Amino acid sequence: MTGLVWKDMLVSAKTAKSYGLIILFYFVLGFLGTFEVTFITAFVSVLLIMLPLSAFSYDEAAKWDGYAVSLPLGRRRVVAARYLFTLLIVLVSLAVATLFSAFIALQGQSFLEPLSSALGTLGFGLFVLDVLLPLCYKLGPERARPYLYAVIFVPIIALFVAFRMGLHLDLSWLDALAARSELLVFALLALLPLSGAVLMLPSYLLSCRILDGKEF
Amino acid sequence: MTNCIEIKGLCKSYQDFSLKNVDLTLPSGSILGLIGENGAGKTTTIKCILNLVRRDAGEITLLGHDNVREEQAAKEDVGVVLDECFFHDSLRPRDVSRVLAPVFPAWDEKLFRAYLEKFDLPEQKRIKEFSRGMKMKLSLSAALAHHPRLLILDEATAGLDPVVRDEILNEFLGFIQDEDHAILMSSHITSDLEKVADYIAYIHQGQVVLCDSKDNILEQYGRVGCTAAQLQGIAPDDLLRVRKGAFGCEALVSDRTAFRRKYPGLLAERTSLEDIMLFLGKGEET
């Protein structure tokens, strides 16, 4: 299984490098005050979370899945490797966000605020992946792509429509909470990626079931 | 002698095609060549063996293990080369080793490098820069580097030039020197199989219509060239298939020595696998 995780890392390396340069560029801009640092830490998570989805496209281009299933691993391990790679990406995103936050903290700004923003985005990204990974196994990366936009934009559109209809989402309690304790907000936001990680289990089982029924 | 592959009553149905009761046996120390037209069922048979598609009925044993219930054990000593190279274009040969080493407990890094050297494959070059021949050699190196006992090859020599094909066929002959080893290879290039195969199975429209040792087939089968009038004088039971043309007739016989004895005036000459395939696939039944 580790061999397949290695494979995902190797084929994603070039994309990850270009993402790294983009992130660095935005971080410099953020450091110079052009962007909010909270935006940058959230941006890191969004970019890196795309890597597991790209891995499906690379595999499809190489027709890798049929070969992977012919190896002495079993289909479940093939799926497990992709989920393990996803978890690694999440950890890397978190590490990068922590590093940025620490750097910003050294300049006298809040450490927890940009990190909280990263946790929120990571949590959302994980929910997206929990839905998208089984869809990629079922439909392939190209046919699953519209669902990615749906998963991201449907909640945004729903919020917008609700706002236009006068249904205001009152988040002032978050500000009040942040004023009382930044740590409490951080802990609350940390629940998002944690629940996203917990939901990986049913998502993994669903992906296994889909791959079990697939013929190559 | 043990069997490396045993297939009994294999059935697999698609909407427009069915594999019907395929029985095949590959004894260790030998090469079994699978021939047949496009869409005859060769690749489906190999996919069933590798559990890439689910069989509807039948049993498949690889190196003594059921290929579904004991999939991991069954595949551990199997090397696979399919008709394409499945390694990502952005990878290099050394990356292939990094990926496959944890997959196969018996992965031999030195052996893999030795194959790369033998096949003149640069370790640092990206696969996207490789020719088709180089890609197939890389696939073969990867398939051989964990000391497999069984090689399964699906059209592995298709589209390669004669020099590369010869190089790869020699490698197969070297592999088979060990009596524990065996190779199952499907190919359209019947001349390749005439060079290396010990057994031939011909699949036609999802059924095995001929399965015997290559030597038996080439020694016994014969092609008779005759006129339409001469053809009339031959008992239909003595002929397997007939092809009638504007300039004469041709027939396939299953025992050319017996045929010569019975019809001394007619010439039954040695035939090739390609001719047998053409007769069985396209000839008229008598």
Side-chain angles (χ1 to χ4, degrees):
Chain A
M1 194 169 73
T2 49
L4 299 192
V5 179
W6 255 116
K7 187 270 299 167
D8 279 348
M9 286 163 73
L10 288 166
V11 298
S12 304
K14 202 177 167 187
T15 316
K17 269 183 204 164
S18 48
Y19 284 178
L21 284 175
I22 295 170
I23 289 165
L24 202 66
F25 174 71
Y26 276 95
F27 181 70
V28 171
L29 288 183
F31 186 67
L32 294 173
T34 314
F35 286 106
E36 281 285 327
V37 176
T38 47
F39 166 76
I40 310 295
T41 49
F43 186 58
V44 169
S45 312
V46 171
L47 268 187
L48 293 182
I49 229 80
M50 294 301 287
L51 285 176
L53 299 178
S54 307
F56 276 98
S57 301
Y58 298 134
D59 283 358
E60 191 180 56
K63 298 179 185 168
W64 168 265
D65 280 350
Y67 179 73
V69 170
S70 79
L71 295 172
L73 291 166
R75 295 179 182 218
R76 293 193 162 230
R77 285 196 193 174
V78 173
V79 177
R82 179 55 45 81
Y83 276 78
L84 198 57
F85 174 65
T86 305
L87 272 178
L88 281 175
I89 292 296
V90 169
L91 291 177
V92 170
S93 307
L94 203 58
V96 173
T98 310
L99 212 67
F100 281 3
S101 305
F103 188 77
I104 290 300
L106 286 177
Q107 315 302 315
Q109 295 181 45
S110 163
F111 171 71
L112 287 181
E113 197 185 335
L115 198 56
S116 302
S117 143
L119 284 177
T121 326
L122 258 185
F124 180 64
L126 262 176
F127 283 123
V128 170
L129 286 176
D130 290 341
V131 176
L132 257 293
L133 293 183
L135 278 172
C136 282
Y137 278 112
K138 179 77 183 168
L139 306 169
E142 286 313 310
R143 286 172 62 204
R145 202 174 294 275
Y147 293 91
L148 169 67
Y149 303 129
V151 172
I152 292 173
F153 291 116
V154 165
I156 294 171
I157 292 168
L159 279 175
F160 179 74
V161 170
F163 181 77
R164 293 290 295 221
M165 288 170 68
L167 299 168
H168 295 278
L169 197 61
D170 185 14
L171 294 175
S172 56
W173 60 275
L174 261 180
D175 290 332
L177 211 61
R180 281 181 62 188
S181 164
E182 211 178 24
L183 195 63
L184 199 61
V185 175
F186 175 77
L188 272 176
L189 285 170
L191 286 177
L192 282 174
L194 277 179
S195 30
V198 169
L199 283 175
M200 276 188 116
L201 182 64
S203 170
Y204 161 73
L205 293 173
L206 185 59
S207 294
C208 285
R209 202 171 161 183
I210 291 166
L211 197 67
D212 275 344
K214 230 174 174 180
E215 298 200 326
F216 294 91
Chain B
M1 193 188 288
T2 54
N3 291 326
C4 286
I5 299 181
E6 282 180 20
I7 302 177
K8 286 179 194 156
L10 174 64
C11 296
K12 170 72 187 169
S13 286
Y14 294 102
Q15 261 186 341
D16 51 353
F17 167 77
S18 294
L19 208 58
K20 295 159 218 150
N21 282 314
V22 170
D23 291 329
L24 284 176
T25 302
L26 170 60
S28 60
S30 59
I31 298 178
L32 169 63
L34 213 52
I35 58 173
E37 314 88 80
N38 286 331
K42 305 184 298 293
T43 299
T44 306
T45 304
I46 286 177
K47 283 182 174 179
C48 285
I49 292 171
L50 294 172
N51 199 23
L52 297 180
V53 298
R54 279 184 311 278
R55 61 185 182 236
D56 297 334
E59 278 178 33
I60 300 174
T61 309
L62 288 182
L63 302 166
H65 301 281
D66 183 278
N67 77 324
V68 176
R69 284 193 300 275
E70 304 162 287
E71 186 175 5
Q72 203 170 335
K75 289 179 176 175
E76 225 154 61
D77 289 326
V78 177
V80 177
V81 180
L82 302 175
D83 56 343
E84 286 177 90
C85 176
F86 295 94
F87 302 120
H88 300 64
D89 278 350
S90 58
L91 298 181
R92 299 176 169 93
R94 60 166 189 195
D95 298 329
V96 170
S97 182
R98 276 192 207 163
V99 172
L100 293 181
V103 173
F104 293 102
W107 183 263
D108 186 336
E109 176 74 28
K110 274 187 189 167
L111 184 61
F112 180 68
R113 280 168 187 255
Y115 277 118
L116 294 183
E117 205 170 310
K118 188 175 187 178
F119 290 139
D120 286 326
L121 298 172
E123 267 186 67
Q124 306 290 338
K125 209 171 178 177
R126 289 192 192 276
I127 293 170
K128 69 176 168 197
E129 294 170 52
F130 280 18
S131 66
R132 177 169 167 81
M134 290 166 90
K135 284 181 180 177
M136 292 320 286
K137 285 182 196 172
L138 175 64
S139 299
L140 188 61
S141 306
L144 288 166
H146 64 283
H147 302 282
R149 284 167 56 203
L150 170 64
L151 272 185
I152 297 179
L153 315 158
D154 187 17
E155 300 289 355
T157 55
L160 301 180
D161 67 66
V163 177
V164 175
R165 266 184 15 232
D166 191 62
E167 207 177 338
I168 289 179
L169 292 178
N170 279 337
E171 202 51 54
F172 296 161
L173 289 173
F175 177 79
I176 216 70
Q177 291 308 305
D178 188 325
E179 280 296 307
D180 275 345
H181 292 177
I183 299 177
L184 169 69
M185 64 183 288
S186 82
S187 180
H188 285 301
I189 309 167
T190 49
S191 58
D192 282 356
L193 296 178
E194 278 180 29
K195 268 188 207 164
V196 299
D198 299 292
Y199 298 93
I200 297 292
Y202 174 36
I203 300 189
H204 178 60
Q205 293 177 349
Q207 284 178 299
V208 178
V209 292
L210 172 68
C211 188
D212 203 345
S213 82
K214 179 193 73 186
D215 291 343
N216 274 352
I217 292 171
L218 294 178
E219 281 306 313
Q220 290 179 5
Y221 280 70
R223 190 185 73 87
V224 180
C226 58
T227 62
Q230 285 173 318
L231 190 67
Q232 292 291 326
I234 304 172
D237 286 352
D238 292 332
L239 302 172
L240 282 177
R241 293 283 194 283
V242 174
R243 284 193 307 207
K244 291 172 187 164
F247 303 104
C249 300
E250 287 179 310
L252 180 73
V253 297
S254 60
D255 187 341
R256 68 172 191 269
T257 315
F259 186 87
R260 271 192 212 130
R261 271 200 301 269
K262 196 169 173 183
Y263 304 95
L266 292 172
L267 184 67
E269 55 193 9
R270 192 183 165 93
T271 188
S272 63
L273 285 176
E274 187 168 320
D275 249 351
I276 295 171
M277 202 173 135
L278 284 171
F279 268 113
L280 294 177
K282 289 180 75 182
E284 294 169 25
E285 285 192 40
T286 51

